[in-house]
Amino acid sequence: MMRRIGYLVLLVAGICQMMLYDFQGLRFLLCCALCIPAASALLTLPQAFFCKAALRTEQISVSRGDTVKVQVLAKLNAKAMIPVPGMTVRISWKLPGEKEQKTRLRLHGLKCSSVRGDRGISLEFAASHCGRVQIELNRAVIYDYLGLFSMPVKRDQGVEICIMPVITPIPTGALEASVGNPWERAGEKEGDLLIREFQPGDSLHRIYWKLVVKDGELQVKDAEKSGVLTLYLAFSDSFRTQAQEWDRYLDRACSLLYFLMEEANGGAQFYVKVVWKKEERFFSQDITEIETLQAWMKLLLLQEEGDLLEDSDIPLLTQGFHLEEDGRLYLGEQCVYEE
């Protein structure tokens, strides 16, 4: 902006001199003042079709407390005739529980067939709260060699990063001291267990070793036919807006689910199901491996929907395990776990 103002001041001064004196030199200077910027703008105009701005990150998801890193890339196609002096990009993002932030970055010296990302600019900020971070490219322009004109260029869509809860270990005897073995409350009945042949992708924890020793073939316990331990997350839609309380609640929920999942994979004949409410509907997700636990966390944080729960199962939710907003785990009306 200062460069443009200075140029306009010099141009006005030259015009005033032209009006006072009839010198050929002043006419020549005025011609240069008009033609040189016009030539610079004409050379920059074709370059706008070969430039592109983008955001790149290798972090699809991070844990709360980690650093989010995003790289700003400015690319110049090999078809470009001359280098581009630079590109200016405007970026905006909103972290969960914080106000929207904006910044403007300038990348200098874009050469033909080069990728600015190798030596470009990186954005870093702390992931303080759980949720979704949408980083967007609002505008990208290139400017001429004099810095007087700017032209918009193509830009990619932004990137989305999910900030995940922190899973902390739960002492093995913490639940047993209050309620006994929680997996015995899963509603398992005799004859529900189904034995089938081992298939690629099955967890080694589900192998029925007694049959392996007897028959010499790998057999696994089918968790789909065993008992179910349902953990109902009793929180309201407005509770999501309370950043610190929501973080603590998610940490507790994920830690409990991880603990129960490990117990189920360790030989208990049940599998874990988590149920949550969105608006007026109830959804569920089976938690059998760490991958399914991570997938469910993304579903919850991105406010997407899981498997719709049947109406007949909804009245039974408060009678089983349910985690309240204060972080206490209840079995019916009895509090069985708190820190």
Side-chain angles (χ1 to χ4, degrees):
M1 183 59 67
M2 295 301 299
R3 203 180 290 180
R4 295 173 183 176
I5 294 175
Y7 173 77
L8 291 175
V9 171
L10 292 177
L11 185 61
V12 171
I15 294 175
C16 292
Q17 293 292 329
M18 276 288 302
M19 295 176 64
L20 295 176
Y21 305 98
D22 188 13
F23 295 149
Q24 295 293 334
L26 292 178
R27 294 182 180 180
F28 175 76
L29 291 177
L30 180 61
C31 181
C32 291
L34 295 176
C35 294
I36 292 177
S40 177
L42 290 176
L43 289 176
T44 308
L45 180 60
Q47 304 298 84
F49 296 97
F50 304 114
C51 292
K52 188 176 183 180
L55 297 177
R56 294 291 183 269
T57 181
E58 298 179 355
Q59 299 173 306
I60 301 177
S61 61
V62 298
S63 297
R64 182 169 54 84
D66 293 345
T67 301
V68 178
K69 299 180 181 179
V70 179
Q71 197 170 33
V72 183
L73 304 180
K75 300 180 180 180
L76 184 60
N77 197 297
K79 297 180 180 180
M81 296 178 294
I82 58 176
V84 174
M87 178 185 294
T88 300
V89 296
R90 294 181 181 178
I91 305 172
S92 64
W93 68 91
K94 185 180 184 305
L95 293 171
E98 300 181 8
K99 295 182 179 180
E100 183 180 12
Q101 300 184 32
K102 298 180 180 180
T103 186
R104 185 174 66 175
L105 303 175
R106 176 168 290 187
L107 307 174
H108 298 278
L110 304 182
K111 298 181 181 180
C112 301
S113 304
S114 68
V115 179
R116 183 63 183 176
D118 295 338
R119 47 192 174 89
I121 300 178
S122 297
L123 288 176
E124 296 185 2
F125 44 87
S128 303
H129 302 288
C130 298
R132 173 174 58 181
V133 181
Q134 182 72 30
I135 308 172
E136 298 181 351
L137 268 173
N138 302 114
R139 194 184 181 198
V141 298
I142 59 173
Y143 47 91
D144 65 324
Y145 286 92
L146 298 178
L148 300 176
F149 307 99
S150 61
M151 300 178 185
V153 298
K154 298 178 181 179
R155 64 183 189 273
D156 284 346
Q157 296 181 350
V159 296
E160 185 178 84
I161 300 175
C162 190
I163 303 177
M164 310 287 277
V166 178
I167 298 178
T168 56
I170 293 180
T172 305
L175 289 176
E176 296 181 5
S178 299
V179 72
N181 293 330
W183 43 94
E184 291 181 355
R185 304 296 185 105
E188 183 182 55
K189 297 180 180 180
E190 185 179 357
D192 286 343
L193 187 62
L194 177 65
I195 305 299
R196 58 174 175 82
E197 294 183 358
F198 179 83
Q199 298 178 358
D202 288 338
S203 174
L204 297 178
H205 295 292
R206 295 181 182 172
I207 296 179
Y208 204 158
W209 295 107
K210 293 182 179 180
L211 291 181
V212 172
V213 175
K214 182 179 179 181
D215 300 334
E217 297 181 358
L218 290 179
Q219 303 287 333
V220 296
K221 305 171 184 178
D222 193 347
E224 295 181 356
K225 297 299 182 179
S226 59
V228 182
L229 193 152
T230 301
L231 176 62
Y232 170 51
L233 303 182
F235 62 88
S236 60
D237 293 334
S238 60
F239 188 62
R240 292 174 179 265
T241 61
Q242 305 175 26
Q244 296 183 355
E245 291 77 7
W246 179 241
D247 291 338
R248 288 194 293 266
Y249 185 84
L250 289 179
D251 291 348
R252 180 66 56 83
C254 293
S255 299
L256 286 171
L257 288 171
Y258 183 81
F259 166 78
L260 296 173
M261 179 195 68
E262 287 293 307
E263 293 294 337
N265 292 336
Q269 298 175 0
F270 75 97
Y271 73 99
V272 182
K273 176 184 291 187
V274 59
V275 177
W276 72 98
K277 182 181 179 182
K278 180 182 177 183
E279 296 178 351
E280 298 300 327
R281 296 185 297 174
F282 293 82
F283 300 94
S284 65
Q285 176 77 23
D286 295 341
I287 308 297
T288 57
E289 302 289 346
I290 185 63
E291 289 78 10
T292 57
L293 177 59
Q294 293 174 345
W296 167 77
M297 284 191 282
K298 291 182 180 180
L299 280 178
L300 185 65
L301 293 174
L302 301 181
Q303 299 191 24
E304 297 180 0
E305 300 176 353
D307 299 330
L308 188 62
L309 194 67
E310 297 181 2
D311 296 338
S312 58
D313 296 333
I314 295 177
L316 301 177
L317 294 178
T318 56
Q319 301 178 12
F321 288 98
H322 52 98
L323 185 65
E324 298 295 331
E325 293 182 355
D326 57 5
R328 296 180 179 181
L329 179 65
Y330 287 83
L331 177 59
E333 298 181 355
Q334 178 187 2
C335 179
V336 296
Y337 179 71
E338 63 177 324
E339 292 184 356

